[in-house]
């Protein structure tokens, strides 16, 4: 019989590099910790990019009861990022890669008294991914650690953390049948495999046919079967599986079980405020509840292998998943083997999950690396590995916006996706639309998706004239309103994923009024607050629970005579009441806009289909400064909008592209750009040498470019005065 003993409790933690014998010696003085544990729960979330990246030790004595059994294996579900396992001071194995599980056999090395010590490191190096990205690379033993005791005859445990059983269902939608191939790995002569009440005794592999198959049908009906395999010794493994057909069409997008099923959802990191990546099962479940409430039908589980419990939750809840390894931002010539190892482990450990639709090879890998032969080779090797290990799922890649659409790297994965941040980091919102239109026109036979998009918002900041870079809740909402429409108008996009469902730790960031956080989440890092943009997507995606949401609840003090009241709802008609009196009803879809005069303090209520939402706002005489993050930028906008511009002449509201073509105005902005470039060194070189970036900048207004470059109010005014003197 197989016995699994969880050993999360009772560890001693030492935050220092030292030889194994020293670690054992000092262990009693170490901090008593229980797993899951990370040593970066605080310093990895508070900004400064100064969290501890180094070697730490976890030491634990194993009891006689825990070590009982014929053969004993240690299972580590997540040791970030490199782990050396010692038993009684003897090195048993080394594992590289912080997000996948591994096992090691202890049997031959057990003594009377047994001390397990794990040296875990998140130190930087040039061969284990990830090394460059914004999210915090927490170090720790942050997922379960178990002992598995099995009889001499048992299922394979070591190879890439295999579950020992692999299930491949192939569905015939017309006949309503599934042919289910079950492969097993073990050291016995035969195995009994059971699927759907039928048992077959075979050497290793059996095939079953399920008639009238009950499909795994996404959110509507994520039905799961179970396959069980048992050896004569009594060792048993089982896995759930789902029968479904995924398909992608370059024109029509994604299909589930033969019907159109546009994948619309969000990305998620495994981390939480105050806990780092050391999440409990309850935390995972709480995240899933928010995802279900939102109504997303797909998740990109970025940027690494997530916990098995979470893929299980996706199976059970019918989410279609993009799974990936942390081959991210920067290609490392010494890292090829690590990418292959991590991908092998991902596919071996996750193959049976029906939720997974695609394997992601890399993320924005050309952001800090050139497309050279080594990088291409690495991608080809990964792609071949995926195809060899899994004949049923396509590969994909998340491309960075400045990667040329005719780059040879795009030909490697089966389907593609772009991360685009027009309207946030660079450019205007509409450039996203143009990008996809151009791509689709040029490559009508390629499947393309939108793997990341988002804008940061700190829910403390507000504006009635939201704009890029102001970190207001209102700009984030407007950004996503645009993207929602852009996506709805392009059904060919096989999947779209908001970056990100939750704010997350990025210790190197210090922006938008917070240290150490990426604030592109629709929900705050501690999950306590849903930003307005959350309700936008809920209105568009959640079809089961009617609701109305008043936007701008946190924007209480408004210095204006008239104000916009915006409502997000999945109902078809919304009525607005001010101080108890109905003032209007709007019919529509998702976004409902009203304008009302502001006289003093008002009680605002929106109603639809028996649901309601209420807020209080008030008129104030001066803008509430606490709502403004970037006061300098806000001044520029106010000044600029108030100014009278002569439309017959150039101004900073024209695009760089238009101004550049004019014989008199062109050289002026070129000179200004050259001066800026000489002050910015290598960044400017990257821009100069990148034609895609140059084209994108050409479409931006001069004002937007200058603000993005941090220009002060005076120099913007100065340039505007000069341009206003030049007739178009
Ligand atoms: C990206 C990365 C993601 C970042 C995101 C951002 O393109 O893939 O890891 O967090 O941009 O917010 O800048």
């Amino acid at each position: 019989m197989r016995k699994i003993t969880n050993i999360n409790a009772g560890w001693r933690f030492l935050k220092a590099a030292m030889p194994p014998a020293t670690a054992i010696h000092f262990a009693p003085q170490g901090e008593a910790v229980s797993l899951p544990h990370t040593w970066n729960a605080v310093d990895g979330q508070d900004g400064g990019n100064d969290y501890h990246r180094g070697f730490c030790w976890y030491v634990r004595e194993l009891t006689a009861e825990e070590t009982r059994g014929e053969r004993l294996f240690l299972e580590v579900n997540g040791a970030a990022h490199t782990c050396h396992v010692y038993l009684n001071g003897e090195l048993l194995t080394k594992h590289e890669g912080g997000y996948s599980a591994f096992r090691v056999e202890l049997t031959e090395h057990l003594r009377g008294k047994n001390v397990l010590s794990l040296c875990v490191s998140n130190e930087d190096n040039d061969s284990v991914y990830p090394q460059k990205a914004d999210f915090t690379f927490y170090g720790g033993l942050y997922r379960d650690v178990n002992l598995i005791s099995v009889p001499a005859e048992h299922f394979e445990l070591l190879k890439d953390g295999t579950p020992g059983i692999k299930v491949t269902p192939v569905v015939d939608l017309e006949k309503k049948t599934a042919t289910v191939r079950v492969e097993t790995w073990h050291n016995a002569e035969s195995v009994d495999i059971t699927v759907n009440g039928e048992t077959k005794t075979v050497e290793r592999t059996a095939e079953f046919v399920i008639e009238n198959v009950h499909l795994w049908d996404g959110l509507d009906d994520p039905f799961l079967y179970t396959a069980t395999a048992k050896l004569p010794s009594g060792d048993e493994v089982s896995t759930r599986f789902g029968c479904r057909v995924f398909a992608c069409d370059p024109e029509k997008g994604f299909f589930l079980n033969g019907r159109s099923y546009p994948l619309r959802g969000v990305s998620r990191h495994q981390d939480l405020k105050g806990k780092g990546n050391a999440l409990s099962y309850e935390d995972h479940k709480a995240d899933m509840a928010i995802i279900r409430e939102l109504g997303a039908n797909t998740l990109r589980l970025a940027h690494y292998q997530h916990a098995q419990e979470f893929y299980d939750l996706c199976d059970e809840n019918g989410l279609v998943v993009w799974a990936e390894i942390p081959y991210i931002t920067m290609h490392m010539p010494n890292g090829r083997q690590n990418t292959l190892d991590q991908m092998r482990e991902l596919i071996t450990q996750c193959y049976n999950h029906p939720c997974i639709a695609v394997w992601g090879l890399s993320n924005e890998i050309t952001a800090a690396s050139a497309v050279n032969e080594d990088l291409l080779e690495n991608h080809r090797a990964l792609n071949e590995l995926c195809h060899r290990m899994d004949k049923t799922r396509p590969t994909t890649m998340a491309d960075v916006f400045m990667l040329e659409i005719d780059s040879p790297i795009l030909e490697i994965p089966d389907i593609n996706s772009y991360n685009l941040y027009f309207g946030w980091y660079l450019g205007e919102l509409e450039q996203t639309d143009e990008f996809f239109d151009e791509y689709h026109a040029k490559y009508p036979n390629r499947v393309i998706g939108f793997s990341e998009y988002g804008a940061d918002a700190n829910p403390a900041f507000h504006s009635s004239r939201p704009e890029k870079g102001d970190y207001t809740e209102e700009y984030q909402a407007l950004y996503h309103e645009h993207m929602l429409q852009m996506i709805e108008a392009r059904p060919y996009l096989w999947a779209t994923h908001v970056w990100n469902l939750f704010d997350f730790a990025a210790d190197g960031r210090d922006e938008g009024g917070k240290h150490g956080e990426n604030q592109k989440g629709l929900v705050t890092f501690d999950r306590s607050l849903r930003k307005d943009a959350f309700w936008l997507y809920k209105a568009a995606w959640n079809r089961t629970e009617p609701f109305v949401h008043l936007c701008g609840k946190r924007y209480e003090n408004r210095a204006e005579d008239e104000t916009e009241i915006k409502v997000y709802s999945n109902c078809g008609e919304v009525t607005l009441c001010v101080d108890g009196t109905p003032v209007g009803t709007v019919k529509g879809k998702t976004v409902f806009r009203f304008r009302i005069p502001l006289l003093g303090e008002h009680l605002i209520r929106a109603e639809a289909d028996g649901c309601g939402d209420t807020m209080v706002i008030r008129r104030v005489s001066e803008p509430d400064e606490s709502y403004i993050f970037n006061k300098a930028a806000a001044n520029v906008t106010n000044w600029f909008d108030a100014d009278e511009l002569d439309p017959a002449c150039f101004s900073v509201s024209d695009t760089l592209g238009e101004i550049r073509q004019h014989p008199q105005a062109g050289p002026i902005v070129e000179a200004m750009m050259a001066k800026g470039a000489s002050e910015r060194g290598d960044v400017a070189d990257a821009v100069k040498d990148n034609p895609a970036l140059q084209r994108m900048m050409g479409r931006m207004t001069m004002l937007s470019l200058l603000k993005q470059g941090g220009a002060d109010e005076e120099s913007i005014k100065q340039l505007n005065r000069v341009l206003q003197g030049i007739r178009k």
Side-chain angles (χ1 to χ4, degrees), residues 134 303 363-364 419 421 425 452 499 504 509 518 520:
D134 71 344
H303 280 306
N363 179 71
E364 299 203 343
N419 299 350
Y421 286 94
Y425 290 122
E452 269 183 40
W499 188 262
F504 61 89
R509 285 187 185 266
N518 183 316
K520 292 190 189 67

Side-chain angles (χ1 to χ4, degrees), residues 641-709:
D641 287 350
D643 213 18
E644 286 281 309
L645 291 178
D646 178 355
C649 298
F650 283 103
S651 77
V652 289
S653 65
D654 292 316
T655 64
L656 174 63
E658 288 162 337
I659 305 176
R660 260 188 175 153
Q661 283 172 16
H662 190 269
Q664 197 186 345
I668 295 171
V669 294
E670 293 291 0
M672 188 159 174
M673 304 286 284
K675 179 168 173 290
S678 68
E679 284 159 7
R680 293 172 66 183
D682 47 344
V683 183
D685 277 347
V687 174
K688 191 173 81 235
D689 298 340
N690 189 320
L693 260 178
Q694 283 289 338
R695 275 199 309 278
M696 287 165 200
M697 287 174 60
R699 292 178 193 151
M700 290 173 68
T701 65
M702 220 36 229
L703 179 65
S704 166
L705 275 166
L706 289 167
K707 283 168 83 178
Q708 198 132 351

Side-chain angles (χ1 to χ4, degrees), residues 237-259:
V237 288
S238 70
T239 182
R240 297 184 306 183
F241 66 94
C243 298
R244 81 287 185 262
V245 182
F246 292 150
C248 284
D249 181 276
E251 197 55 48
K252 298 187 188 134
F254 193 81
F255 281 71
L256 171 65
N257 298 330
R259 69 174 198 279

